[in-house]
Amino acid sequence: MTPQEAADQTEIDPTVPPSGTGCAECLDAGGWWVHLRRCAACGHVGCCDSSPAQHATAHATASGHRYIQSFEPGEEWFFDYETGDVLDGPALEEPTSRPADQPVPGPAGRVPTDWRSKIH
Ligand SMILES: [Zn+2]
Ligand SMILES: [Zn+2]
């Protein structure tokens, strides 16, 4: 994925820290995820579209917050739900990724042994 252009920074708040170390809804519900995405407007951390519950996309749909940034270590790309483009964006408040020792899928102890049959 090659970033194409800068995101519209009026729809990004780089001062808001992430909501936590994992998907907010999955942590509440005892769920698990494949990869994590962070809302660039409010800091909500949600799970990716490969994950069983797809909470990052659900958050974008419900809130109208159009940009997410990958919350995976070493990944800085942004995604725009309105255009479907991968973009560059500003440096967001730290931390910019989940803990490096958190497994994929995660979190530790919650992933079923047959997880491959449950992802999208
Ligand atoms: Zn989730
Ligand atoms: Zn948001």
PDB file of all heavy atoms in Angstrom, residues 7 10 25 30-31 35 48 70 80 88 95-96 99 107 116 120:
ATOM      1  N   ALA A   7      -4.182  13.394   4.381  1.00  0.00           N
ATOM      2  CA  ALA A   7      -5.564  13.399   4.840  1.00  0.00           C
ATOM      3  C   ALA A   7      -6.012  14.820   5.190  1.00  0.00           C
ATOM      4  O   ALA A   7      -5.193  15.697   5.465  1.00  0.00           O
ATOM      5  CB  ALA A   7      -5.686  12.496   6.062  1.00  0.00           C
ATOM      6  N   THR A  10      -8.611  18.651   9.140  1.00  0.00           N
ATOM      7  CA  THR A  10      -9.710  19.201   9.945  1.00  0.00           C
ATOM      8  C   THR A  10     -10.568  18.087  10.536  1.00  0.00           C
ATOM      9  O   THR A  10     -11.370  18.336  11.428  1.00  0.00           O
ATOM     10  CB  THR A  10     -10.611  20.130   9.102  1.00  0.00           C
ATOM     11  OG1 THR A  10     -11.247  19.372   8.074  1.00  0.00           O
ATOM     12  CG2 THR A  10      -9.810  21.264   8.501  1.00  0.00           C
ATOM     13  N   GLU A  25     -14.657  -2.322  22.155  1.00  0.00           N
ATOM     14  CA  GLU A  25     -15.839  -3.174  22.302  1.00  0.00           C
ATOM     15  C   GLU A  25     -15.468  -4.625  22.618  1.00  0.00           C
ATOM     16  O   GLU A  25     -16.131  -5.285  23.413  1.00  0.00           O
ATOM     17  CB  GLU A  25     -16.700  -3.127  21.036  1.00  0.00           C
ATOM     18  CG  GLU A  25     -17.454  -1.824  20.854  1.00  0.00           C
ATOM     19  CD  GLU A  25     -16.646  -0.787  20.091  1.00  0.00           C
ATOM     20  OE1 GLU A  25     -15.429  -0.997  19.865  1.00  0.00           O
ATOM     21  OE2 GLU A  25     -17.224   0.254  19.722  1.00  0.00           O
ATOM     22  N   GLY A  30     -15.394  -9.393  25.917  1.00  0.00           N
ATOM     23  CA  GLY A  30     -14.650 -10.642  25.973  1.00  0.00           C
ATOM     24  C   GLY A  30     -14.308 -11.192  24.606  1.00  0.00           C
ATOM     25  O   GLY A  30     -14.073 -12.378  24.461  1.00  0.00           O
ATOM     26  N   GLY A  31     -14.308 -10.331  23.602  1.00  0.00           N
ATOM     27  CA  GLY A  31     -14.024 -10.773  22.237  1.00  0.00           C
ATOM     28  C   GLY A  31     -12.542 -10.749  21.925  1.00  0.00           C
ATOM     29  O   GLY A  31     -11.708 -10.500  22.797  1.00  0.00           O
ATOM     30  N   HIS A  35      -6.336  -7.592  13.731  1.00  0.00           N
ATOM     31  CA  HIS A  35      -5.506  -6.399  13.774  1.00  0.00           C
ATOM     32  C   HIS A  35      -6.327  -5.242  14.321  1.00  0.00           C
ATOM     33  O   HIS A  35      -7.559  -5.273  14.316  1.00  0.00           O
ATOM     34  CB  HIS A  35      -4.985  -6.031  12.367  1.00  0.00           C
ATOM     35  CG  HIS A  35      -3.997  -7.018  11.843  1.00  0.00           C
ATOM     36  ND1 HIS A  35      -4.126  -7.628  10.611  1.00  0.00           N
ATOM     37  CD2 HIS A  35      -2.859  -7.505  12.386  1.00  0.00           C
ATOM     38  CE1 HIS A  35      -3.107  -8.463  10.426  1.00  0.00           C
ATOM     39  NE2 HIS A  35      -2.323  -8.402  11.485  1.00  0.00           N
ATOM     40  N   CYS A  48     -10.101  -4.754  13.055  1.00  0.00           N
ATOM     41  CA  CYS A  48     -10.100  -4.619  11.596  1.00  0.00           C
ATOM     42  C   CYS A  48     -11.202  -5.463  10.958  1.00  0.00           C
ATOM     43  O   CYS A  48     -11.870  -6.251  11.621  1.00  0.00           O
ATOM     44  CB  CYS A  48      -8.747  -5.056  11.052  1.00  0.00           C
ATOM     45  SG  CYS A  48      -8.481  -6.844  11.126  1.00  0.00           S
ATOM     46  N   SER A  70      -3.647   2.615  11.198  1.00  0.00           N
ATOM     47  CA  SER A  70      -3.286   1.304  11.735  1.00  0.00           C
ATOM     48  C   SER A  70      -2.744   1.462  13.141  1.00  0.00           C
ATOM     49  O   SER A  70      -1.993   2.387  13.444  1.00  0.00           O
ATOM     50  CB  SER A  70      -2.239   0.634  10.855  1.00  0.00           C
ATOM     51  OG  SER A  70      -1.853  -0.600  11.448  1.00  0.00           O
ATOM     52  N   ASP A  80      -9.077   6.151   4.533  1.00  0.00           N
ATOM     53  CA  ASP A  80     -10.210   7.075   4.448  1.00  0.00           C
ATOM     54  C   ASP A  80     -11.458   6.272   4.068  1.00  0.00           C
ATOM     55  O   ASP A  80     -11.536   5.743   2.959  1.00  0.00           O
ATOM     56  CB  ASP A  80      -9.896   8.132   3.382  1.00  0.00           C
ATOM     57  CG  ASP A  80     -10.996   9.166   3.231  1.00  0.00           C
ATOM     58  OD1 ASP A  80     -12.107   8.960   3.758  1.00  0.00           O
ATOM     59  OD2 ASP A  80     -10.731  10.186   2.580  1.00  0.00           O
ATOM     60  N   ASP A  88      -1.379   9.361   3.787  1.00  0.00           N
ATOM     61  CA  ASP A  88      -0.498   9.845   4.845  1.00  0.00           C
ATOM     62  C   ASP A  88      -1.309  10.731   5.780  1.00  0.00           C
ATOM     63  O   ASP A  88      -2.285  11.346   5.378  1.00  0.00           O
ATOM     64  CB  ASP A  88       0.622  10.705   4.260  1.00  0.00           C
ATOM     65  CG  ASP A  88       1.757   9.872   3.718  1.00  0.00           C
ATOM     66  OD1 ASP A  88       2.002   8.778   4.268  1.00  0.00           O
ATOM     67  OD2 ASP A  88       2.396  10.311   2.757  1.00  0.00           O
ATOM     68  N   PRO A  95       0.446   6.301  22.708  1.00  0.00           N
ATOM     69  CA  PRO A  95       1.162   5.375  21.830  1.00  0.00           C
ATOM     70  C   PRO A  95       0.443   5.230  20.488  1.00  0.00           C
ATOM     71  O   PRO A  95      -0.772   5.320  20.436  1.00  0.00           O
ATOM     72  CB  PRO A  95       1.127   4.074  22.619  1.00  0.00           C
ATOM     73  CG  PRO A  95      -0.146   4.135  23.406  1.00  0.00           C
ATOM     74  CD  PRO A  95      -0.317   5.598  23.768  1.00  0.00           C
ATOM     75  N   THR A  96       1.214   4.999  19.428  1.00  0.00           N
ATOM     76  CA  THR A  96       0.628   4.890  18.093  1.00  0.00           C
ATOM     77  C   THR A  96       0.449   3.445  17.653  1.00  0.00           C
ATOM     78  O   THR A  96       0.097   3.188  16.505  1.00  0.00           O
ATOM     79  CB  THR A  96       1.492   5.634  17.061  1.00  0.00           C
ATOM     80  OG1 THR A  96       2.816   5.097  17.112  1.00  0.00           O
ATOM     81  CG2 THR A  96       1.530   7.123  17.360  1.00  0.00           C
ATOM     82  N   PRO A  99       0.664  -2.707  22.297  1.00  0.00           N
ATOM     83  CA  PRO A  99       1.930  -3.207  22.851  1.00  0.00           C
ATOM     84  C   PRO A  99       2.542  -4.246  21.918  1.00  0.00           C
ATOM     85  O   PRO A  99       1.841  -5.111  21.388  1.00  0.00           O
ATOM     86  CB  PRO A  99       1.510  -3.848  24.180  1.00  0.00           C
ATOM     87  CG  PRO A  99       0.231  -3.164  24.552  1.00  0.00           C
ATOM     88  CD  PRO A  99      -0.458  -2.868  23.238  1.00  0.00           C
ATOM     89  N   PRO A 107      -6.720 -10.573  22.174  1.00  0.00           N
ATOM     90  CA  PRO A 107      -5.615 -10.564  23.135  1.00  0.00           C
ATOM     91  C   PRO A 107      -5.284 -11.974  23.634  1.00  0.00           C
ATOM     92  O   PRO A 107      -6.042 -12.905  23.401  1.00  0.00           O
ATOM     93  CB  PRO A 107      -6.185  -9.716  24.279  1.00  0.00           C
ATOM     94  CG  PRO A 107      -7.652 -10.022  24.255  1.00  0.00           C
ATOM     95  CD  PRO A 107      -7.997 -10.179  22.786  1.00  0.00           C
ATOM     96  N   ARG A 116      -9.080 -19.376  12.765  1.00  0.00           N
ATOM     97  CA  ARG A 116      -8.970 -19.188  11.307  1.00  0.00           C
ATOM     98  C   ARG A 116     -10.310 -19.373  10.602  1.00  0.00           C
ATOM     99  O   ARG A 116     -10.547 -18.807   9.543  1.00  0.00           O
ATOM    100  CB  ARG A 116      -7.936 -20.146  10.717  1.00  0.00           C
ATOM    101  CG  ARG A 116      -6.512 -19.669  10.938  1.00  0.00           C
ATOM    102  CD  ARG A 116      -5.505 -20.542  10.203  1.00  0.00           C
ATOM    103  NE  ARG A 116      -4.161 -20.009  10.363  1.00  0.00           N
ATOM    104  CZ  ARG A 116      -3.419 -20.194  11.439  1.00  0.00           C
ATOM    105  NH1 ARG A 116      -3.885 -20.892  12.453  1.00  0.00           N
ATOM    106  NH2 ARG A 116      -2.215 -19.655  11.526  1.00  0.00           N
ATOM    107  N   HIS A 120     -12.819 -12.937   8.658  1.00  0.00           N
ATOM    108  CA  HIS A 120     -13.422 -12.542   7.383  1.00  0.00           C
ATOM    109  C   HIS A 120     -12.357 -12.434   6.289  1.00  0.00           C
ATOM    110  O   HIS A 120     -11.250 -12.071   6.544  1.00  0.00           O
ATOM    111  CB  HIS A 120     -14.104 -11.166   7.531  1.00  0.00           C
ATOM    112  CG  HIS A 120     -15.241 -11.212   8.485  1.00  0.00           C
ATOM    113  ND1 HIS A 120     -16.501 -11.690   8.178  1.00  0.00           N
ATOM    114  CD2 HIS A 120     -15.314 -10.873   9.806  1.00  0.00           C
ATOM    115  CE1 HIS A 120     -17.285 -11.621   9.222  1.00  0.00           C
ATOM    116  NE2 HIS A 120     -16.603 -11.125  10.220  1.00  0.00           N
TER     117      HIS A 120
END
